[in-house]
Each structure stands twice: as C-alpha cells, then as structure tokens.
Amino acid sequence: MRAGTINRILIVVLIGVCVLWLVIPFAMAILWSIVDPSQAWSYPDLFPARVSFQRWVDVWQNTALKDALVNSYTLAPSVAITTLLLATPTAYAIGRFEFPGKTAVQVLSLLPLVVPGFVIAVFMASLLLNLGLYNRFASIMLGHCVLFLPYAIRILSVSFGLVRQDLIDAARDLGASPWARFHAVYWPALKPGVLAALIIVFIQSIEEFALAFILGSPDFTTVPTILYSFLGFNFVRSNAAVVSLILVVPNVALMLVLERLLKSANPAMVSGKG
Amino acid sequence: MLRVDDVTKTFEDGFRALKGVSLNAGRGDFVTLLGPSGCGKTTLLKVVAGFLTPTEGTVSIDGADVTREPPERRDTAMCFQSYALFPHMTVAQNIEFGPRQNRVAKDERLARLNALLTQVDLEAHQHKLPNALSGGQQQRVALARALAMRPGIVLFDEPLSNLDAKLRDQVRIEIRALQREHGFTAIYVTHDQAEALAMSDHVLVMREGAVEQEGAPEEIYTAPRTSFVADFIGAANLLTGTVLGEDGQGRWQVQTEMGTVKVASDEPPVAPSVHVSWRPEDAVLANGSANGSGTGENLIQAPIVARVYQGSFTEYVLDAPERPAVSLRVHATQFGAREGETLAFHVPPDRLRFLEQVAS
Ligand SMILES: Nc1ncnc2c1ncn2[C@@H]1O[C@H](COP(=O)(O)OP(=O)(O)O)[C@@H](O)[C@H]1O
Ligand SMILES: [Mg+2]
C-alpha cells in the first residue's frame, strides 16, 4: 500500500519532468516551425495567429539544408560502421579475456567520453592539418570515430562477455568450423549489441556539432552546423525550429527501434561463461 | 580404445590440476571419475575431449595419439554440466547440429534425428526451444545431440547435478540403457559416490589431481585402500591402530580407539601404525540380536550418543570405548536401544581393513 503510494508519486513526478523537458520544447518547436512569415507570433498570443508550412518550404528552397542532409546522412552511417569495426578487437579482448592491465585499458578506452568535444576538435583539426589530410568528410569521419569509439567499445565488450564459453566449446566439440561457431554462438549473443552500438553512434554523429563545425566550416555543412547558423547572428527562430525537427524526429524513431532491440535481447543468452 | 598416459596439467597460473593421471577404457566400458569438487575431474575430461592440452603425457584413441588434436577432430562427444544447448535453436536443430557440421547426408541425418527423438522420448517437443523444456528434457536433448555424432566415446560432466533426486534416478537408468544400445564408451564424472557405484564398470577415485584408487565398484566399496577412499565412499568408521602382533594365520592383533581388535587380512599392514576402517553395516549386534550372545569376536560395548531412524535401518552414533572423542557409527535393523544405553556389537575380523600408514 505504502509502496504503491510512493510509486504513484514517482510516476506523477516522472510525467511532470517529461512534460517540462521533452513535450513542451517539442511542442514549441512544432508551433514555431509553422508560424506564417506574414504575421509574427508575439506576446501575449498563446498560439500563432496564422499558421502555414511556408517556413518549411523556405528553408528547404533557400538554405543549404539539402546538402547538409546529404552530408549528415552519408557521414553518420560511415562513422557507425567504421567505429564498430575499430571497436571490435578491443571489445573482444575486454569481453572475453582476463589480462594484466585490463582495468587500465577499460578506463583508457572511456577517456574520450570525459574530454569535451571542442577540445578534441581543436587539437584534432591541427593534427589532421599536420598530417596533410585536407578532405573534410574524411577528417570529420575520423574525428567522430575517435569521439564515439568509447560507446561502441563499452556496448560491444558487454555483448562479448555474454557469449557463453560452454556453447563455444559445445559447437567445437560437435565439429563446427570457426565460421559456424560465429554463426551459431557469437552472432546471436552479439546481434543486439552490434545494432545498439550502430544506432547510438549513428545518432551521436548526426547530432555532433563542435567537431563538424571546426573541421567542416565553411563549406562542409551538416544539419547541426546549419542549425547553428540560424541561431547565430542572423537568428531566425522559426527556421531553427524547422531544422531542429528535421534533426530530431529521425533520431527519436531510431531510439524507439533501439528500445525494441534491447528488449528483444534474449535473456537465455545471459549466463556465465562456463 | 581410450588410453590416457601419465597426464599432467599445469595451468598458466602455476596450479597443478592433474599430477600424472592414467586411465584405460575399453570399447563399451562405463568408466567413472569420482572425487570431491576441485580434484581435477573436469580438467581430465577436457584433456580427453581436446579442450585442454596436457603439459605432459599422452591421450590416444583407438591406438592413435590425439594429444594435440582439437576437439572437432576427435571421436568424442561431450555432455556438458550446463547442457550447453544452443538457445535460439529448436530441439531438432540442436540434435542435427553435429551431423550438419560434419556434412552427413540429409537422409542419414534425418534418420538419426528421428531415431534419437524416439529414444529420448522427445518427438512431441522437437520444435520447441530449449528454454521451454524441463531440466530432465534438456538433459536428454544434450545427450541426443552428443549421440547424433555417433561418437566412440561420450564424456559426461556431472550430467545429473542439476536435476532433482527422483529425476536423477530415472535419467541414470536412461543413460545406462542408451549406452548399452549404442555401445559407446562412457567416461562419466561425478562427485556422488552412490551414482558412481550404481552406474560404473570401473571407478577411478580422484584426489587433488591424482588417482587415489581404481577398480570395480564392489572393490572400491569393500576394499578401500586409504582412509580418503573409505570415507568418501559410504562414510566408513576410521580408526588409528597400532599393530601388536600376528597369529600366523593372517590375523593381527591391533590396538585401536575402540579397544584391541583382531583384523583378518590377506595383506599385512603397511606399517606398525596404520589406519583401520570398517563399515557401519558390518556390525553385528550382540544384545538381543538373533545371532549374538557375546560368542563372536571383537565384542565392543559403547554408549549410544544419538540414534537416527532411517527407515530400513537405524544408525547409532557411539563414543569409542577407549577414546570417547572418536565417534563410531553402527547401522542395525534392530532399533530397541536408546540414547544413554550401551550397545554391544561384534565387528567380524574380516570386515576390518588395514589402510595407509598413520602420518606421524
Ligand atoms: N583455467 C584454470 N586456471 C587455473 N586453475 C584452474 C583452471 N581451471 C580449473 N582450475 C583449478 O583446477 C582445479 C580442478 O578443477 P576441476 O577440474 O574443474 O575440478 P572438478 O571438476 O573436479 O571439480 C580447481 O582447483 C580449479 O580451481
Ligand atoms: Mg567439474
């Protein structure tokens, strides 16, 4: 009974926080994006006096948004796949073996998480210039890989830890080749983690600003750098709202997919290493 | 068929899990490795299966040295303690896994699958996932999966330890029946002495990485050679004895905690000071018993400390007459005596056994 009451209070608080932090900003963004240019939305009106999709059309036709979308959506999958490939060997070692200095490696691999993106971006930029890498796409991709490697390593090393040693042994005992062992034992345990890592890195890369701005400006735009340009010196709140929605909505969809994946991770896989 | 010769295994951390173990099993034999947890049973099984390479010694199967062959190239199949069933595959897919990996033709594969499903009584469950099965059923899938390989040797690592007592008896009988039918050689690991005695043709009692004694179950039970074996198999009474002399006909006078007794033994004691054991059920009650009025040898009288009714027999715990700190245990089918009374019984001299020397 008491626990029930506490639960109910917690749920109410949670819903309140969600409304305050998610629903209101989101609703505001939607409203701002449909304010008609002919009539400003100003105090004390609760809703825009006149609504239309004119802003959307404007932004689409008159800004570099199209290029930015193409850039972002080619960059993010490239970053996600490359990061996954780079993370796999380390994650395998951390997840499957005990070795001296394992804790040190784990901490070290998480280091980029605590260093601010701008710091990495500034030094990355000079490093890449020194290396003679002037291709903006390649430099941002490399920077993003470094930035998001910790997430991928973290997620994948947990997944590798879930692979049951007794199943690997059983598969070998029954004559399975390395490939068959991967297919029968590793992949079912790794699949949710691999997809989760891909989605998380993808979303992070889409949303990353500092590095994309410093390494990409002025001619390589991504969706967040476009957004920043609307917030800067020619500040247009409605245009910013349009770009924000374009940036956020696909990510929310991906988050929902991710949630699904994590739920479907088979609990039977979760067991010791034999 | 299977020969393990003087195998030693030292792990990377320097721990010696096997210290010169040898094992011989003929075709169709049921050989059990028995010993307390941590004595190296699983390690030995993994050496035979090929998951571990011994530090010294050899393993050969059918005369061929396989010491360095990987598991996938040995004629062995393992039944894992955890069953190790592939959780995302159905029962049928699990059983077919081995034949598929070994490119067995489809007709043959299906024939094996169907025969095994019938034998382990799982036809009705063949399309279920392992999670949906009971422990006993999972155990049978694991067995069928191993047998689908048509292995010459099947290795069992404590296969019954996750089952409840009743199911254990049933699966025990099933394993033995399948073994006779398929004719494979079984190497069976357990820490349960009753299981070892019931199932095996040959038992190896292991202790700290070495074989302490081996032989037929009857031999291990009736003629243990060390106090470790006597105690591990059926909890014998253990005494320390000082040999006083021999009468020339294989009968020794021995001074023990329960008095001076006669021991009839074909083999002389290994030292003047030896351990002596006898089984609780070998005592013959003197007072009120059908056959005894004190004419038998080795008459012992001891106060009853506790009396535990066990159904088919009653266990009495007694203080040893000459050293009350030592407990004696006697099993009897008469159960008139009470705590505080004195129990009088004989231990026939041929039921007393000399064990190893008393460490000084
Ligand atoms: N990989 C390993 N490294 C170090 N020690 C090990 C390893 N595997 C097992 N051991 C040790 O070897 C001993 C025997 O283990 P095991 O063969 O599993 O015993 P049992 O199966 O008889 O219970 C144990 O003391 C165990 O801790
Ligand atoms: Mg074991």
Side-chain angles (χ1 to χ4, degrees):
Chain A
M1 189 62 211
R2 272 186 65 104
T5 322
I6 292 172
N7 259 345
R8 220 165 301 141
I9 293 171
L10 280 178
I11 285 172
V12 169
V13 169
L14 193 70
I15 290 173
V17 169
C18 274
V19 168
L20 221 61
W21 285 86
L22 294 173
V23 177
I24 291 182
F26 217 64
M28 291 304 279
I30 292 173
L31 289 176
W32 272 110
S33 76
I34 53 174
V35 172
D36 193 87
S38 66
Q39 201 167 341
W41 178 21
S42 53
Y43 187 79
D45 297 349
L46 203 53
F47 291 101
R50 184 185 244 195
V51 300
S52 74
F53 283 102
Q54 189 57 42
R55 299 280 186 179
W56 288 77
V57 177
D58 272 358
V59 168
W60 187 253
Q61 284 174 345
N62 304 325
T63 68
L65 179 63
K66 262 175 287 186
D67 290 339
L69 277 173
V70 170
N71 286 343
S72 280
Y73 279 87
T74 42
L75 183 67
S78 316
V79 169
I81 289 169
T82 313
T83 307
L84 192 80
L85 294 178
L86 292 176
T88 301
T90 313
Y92 179 73
I94 293 177
R96 301 296 313 158
F97 303 112
E98 291 302 325
F99 52 87
K102 177 168 167 171
T103 324
V105 170
Q106 267 174 308
V107 171
L108 215 62
S109 72
L110 290 181
L111 212 55
L113 274 186
V114 294
V115 181
F118 264 108
V119 175
I120 293 186
V122 169
F123 291 103
M124 198 82 181
S126 63
L127 176 70
L128 291 175
L129 286 177
N130 286 346
L131 289 176
L133 183 62
Y134 296 110
N135 182 312
R136 300 193 183 281
F137 182 87
S139 1
I140 298 178
M141 186 171 136
L142 197 65
H144 278 188
C145 288
V146 171
L147 219 52
F148 307 136
L149 208 52
Y151 296 95
I153 290 178
R154 191 78 196 158
I155 296 169
L156 286 183
S157 57
V158 171
S159 290
F160 272 112
L162 292 180
V163 179
R164 285 170 48 180
Q165 186 62 44
D166 61 336
L167 294 188
I168 300 173
D169 288 349
R172 278 191 80 178
D173 198 46
L174 295 166
S177 63
W179 166 247
R181 265 177 257 161
F182 176 80
H183 184 72
V185 184
Y186 282 88
W187 182 240
L190 292 179
K191 193 165 69 179
V194 165
L195 293 175
L198 282 176
I199 290 179
I200 285 176
V201 172
F202 183 93
I203 292 176
Q204 297 269 353
S205 169
I206 288 269
E207 293 188 340
E208 200 282 331
F209 167 70
L211 219 143
F213 182 73
I214 292 174
L215 292 177
S217 62
D219 42 63
F220 189 90
T221 51
T222 64
V223 180
T225 53
I226 283 269
L227 178 60
Y228 186 75
S229 70
F230 293 148
L231 299 177
F233 120 113
N234 46 353
F235 177 67
V236 187
R237 182 169 282 153
S238 286
N239 290 2
V242 171
V243 179
S244 305
L245 287 174
I246 288 175
L247 180 62
V248 166
V249 170
N251 289 352
V252 171
L254 280 175
M255 278 315 285
L256 294 178
V257 173
L258 181 65
E259 157 77 10
R260 266 284 162 81
L261 285 174
L262 295 185
K263 240 186 224 159
S264 75
N266 188 348
M269 309 281 181
V270 183
S271 172
K273 282 178 251 170
Chain B
M1 157 108 242
L2 172 67
R3 258 187 89 92
V4 175
D5 261 320
D6 208 14
V7 160
T8 299
K9 177 69 194 177
T10 309
F11 283 113
E12 293 77 28
D13 60 2
F15 183 80
R16 293 225 303 160
L18 295 175
K19 303 166 186 164
V21 174
S22 296
L23 159 74
N24 259 309
R27 186 170 302 283
D29 279 355
F30 200 109
V31 176
T32 298
L33 308 176
L34 172 66
S37 160
C39 71
K41 308 182 294 291
T42 300
T43 305
L44 180 54
L45 214 58
K46 284 186 170 170
V47 166
V48 173
F51 294 116
L52 294 174
T53 310
T55 316
E56 282 165 54
T58 58
V59 178
S60 51
I61 296 175
D62 284 332
D65 185 340
V66 297
T67 314
R68 280 164 214 286
E69 293 283 327
E72 53 268 38
R73 288 223 293 273
R74 294 190 186 193
D75 188 22
T76 57
M78 184 130 170
C79 272
F80 291 83
Q81 189 169 11
S82 60
Y83 310 144
L85 300 176
F86 304 116
H88 60 289
M89 294 186 198
T90 63
V91 168
Q93 286 167 339
N94 264 286
I95 297 175
E96 277 189 307
F97 186 84
R100 260 183 210 281
Q101 301 310 316
N102 293 280
R103 310 246 144 64
V104 174
K106 189 170 181 212
D107 295 347
E108 167 68 10
R109 212 171 66 215
L110 289 178
R112 287 190 200 177
L113 171 67
N114 289 325
L116 283 165
L117 282 171
T118 315
Q119 279 168 14
V120 297
D121 197 21
L122 284 168
E123 295 109 316
H125 304 285
Q126 61 170 306
H127 298 301
K128 289 189 184 166
L129 291 177
N131 265 348
L133 303 180
S134 70
Q137 287 168 334
Q138 290 184 23
Q139 170 60 61
R140 300 209 296 269
V141 178
L143 190 56
R145 186 178 68 175
L147 295 182
M149 300 283 288
R150 295 282 161 84
I153 302 170
V154 181
L155 309 169
F156 296 90
D157 192 358
E158 312 214 12
L160 309 185
S161 59
N162 294 328
L163 304 178
D164 57 56
K166 197 162 174 194
L167 210 52
R168 220 177 287 169
D169 289 345
Q170 189 189 329
V171 177
R172 191 151 98 177
I173 292 167
E174 277 172 17
I175 289 179
R176 209 53 237 245
L178 280 170
Q179 195 240 350
R180 283 200 199 91
E181 198 169 324
H182 288 254
F184 57 81
T185 303
I187 310 295
Y188 189 97
V189 160
T190 181
H191 63 261
D192 179 340
Q193 49 99 12
E195 209 170 290
L197 295 179
M199 296 182 81
S200 324
D201 300 320
H202 195 77
V203 180
L204 285 87
V205 183
M206 290 181 64
R207 178 191 190 185
E208 291 171 9
V211 176
E212 180 94 354
Q213 184 175 355
E214 65 176 301
E218 299 81 3
E219 192 184 329
I220 298 280
Y221 186 82
T222 56
R225 278 207 298 270
T226 63
S227 30
F228 175 80
V229 176
D231 189 47
F232 194 73
I233 316 254
N237 287 303
L238 290 177
L239 305 167
T240 49
T242 309
V243 181
L244 302 176
E246 195 214 344
D247 67 357
Q249 291 153 8
R251 292 162 85 89
W252 278 266
Q253 292 276 350
V254 183
Q255 168 78 47
T256 70
E257 289 94 338
M258 62 179 194
T260 302
V261 291
K262 281 200 189 99
V263 178
S265 171
D266 296 337
E267 288 173 33
V270 292
S273 187
V274 289
H275 286 288
V276 174
S277 79
W278 56 279
R279 300 262 169 215
E281 66 271 22
D282 286 337
V284 179
L285 290 205
N287 48 349
S289 77
N291 62 345
S293 57
T295 55
E297 290 176 285
N298 294 343
L299 177 69
I300 292 146
Q301 303 203 10
I304 300 172
V305 180
R307 169 182 176 277
V308 186
Y309 179 60
Q310 300 273 22
S312 58
F313 66 89
T314 299
E315 175 170 291
Y316 294 104
V317 181
L318 317 163
D319 279 342
E322 310 216 333
R323 179 91 63 80
V326 174
S327 299
L328 301 176
R329 294 183 317 119
V330 167
H331 293 175
T333 44
Q334 299 95 337
F335 33 82
R338 294 274 153 200
E339 281 96 342
E341 292 176 24
T342 297
L343 196 70
F345 59 95
H346 307 283
V347 183
D350 61 343
R351 299 304 167 98
L352 284 153
R353 300 202 53 82
F354 287 131
L355 306 172
E356 80 280 14
Q357 183 177 2
V358 174
S360 46

